[in-house]
Amino acid sequence: MSSLIDDGRPIFIQIAERIEDDIISGILVEESQVPSTNQFAAFYKINPATAAKGVNLLVDEGILYKKRGIGMFVTEGARTKVIEKRKELFFEQYIVTMIHEAKKLGITTDQLTDMIRRGDDK
C-alpha cells in the first residue's frame, strides 16, 4: 500500500478506492481477508472511524462482507462488480465529457475516433 493522495476527495472514499484497486489488480482475491480498519488507520495515519467508513462503503456495495469476530473479506464476484462499477464511472467521467467537448469544438464522431486511435498508438 502506498500513501493516500490528498486530492480534495474524502479520505474514506480514497480508502475504498485503494481496496478496489487491490481487488482489480489481484492483490486482494475473492474470499481473502482485507486489512482491519485499525491497520488502515495506522498505515495511513488516519482515524479508525474514517477507515471504517471506507470499508463499510464497500460492504454496502456488496464488495466486502464481515465475518463476525474475524474481519472483513472480499466477496465472491467482487472483482467483476468493481470493474463494472469503474467502467460506468469511466464512461460518465471521461467519455460523456469528451463527447460534449468534441461537440462544442465541432469534432465529428469520425474525427474523434481517429483521435482515439492516434492516441492509442502513442
Side-chain angles (χ1 to χ4, degrees):
M1 285 190 267
S2 59
S3 64
L4 294 172
I5 298 167
D6 182 17
D7 62 1
R9 291 175 307 133
I11 293 171
F12 77 95
I13 297 287
Q14 294 180 58
I15 291 284
E17 288 175 350
R18 185 61 48 90
I19 295 168
E20 288 179 343
D21 289 345
D22 288 349
I23 290 170
I24 290 171
S25 69
I27 293 170
L28 289 172
V29 296
E30 294 177 359
E31 300 302 327
S32 67
Q33 188 170 8
V34 300
S36 71
T37 54
N38 288 333
Q39 288 171 313
F40 279 120
F43 186 82
Y44 292 116
K45 296 176 178 56
I46 60 173
N47 186 310
T50 301
K53 193 171 178 182
V55 169
N56 288 330
L57 183 65
L58 296 178
V59 171
D60 293 344
E61 293 178 6
I63 306 298
L64 302 178
Y65 70 95
K66 184 176 187 171
K67 284 187 183 178
R68 191 172 177 90
I70 299 175
M72 294 290 184
F73 291 80
V74 179
T75 60
E76 195 171 313
R79 186 171 187 276
T80 301
K81 279 184 187 177
V82 171
I83 289 172
E84 288 306 312
K85 173 184 158 185
R86 292 278 184 96
K87 282 180 180 179
E88 188 57 34
L89 282 171
F90 179 84
F91 174 75
E92 292 295 329
Q93 292 175 345
Y94 297 101
I95 304 301
V96 171
T97 303
M98 178 181 63
I99 290 170
H100 286 278
E101 185 67 15
K103 284 181 181 179
K104 277 196 282 188
L105 298 172
I107 298 171
T108 67
T109 302
D110 288 340
Q111 290 170 326
L112 190 57
T113 302
D114 288 342
M115 288 177 177
I116 291 169
R117 285 193 183 104
R118 202 169 71 219
D120 193 34
D121 293 339
K122 291 188 177 203

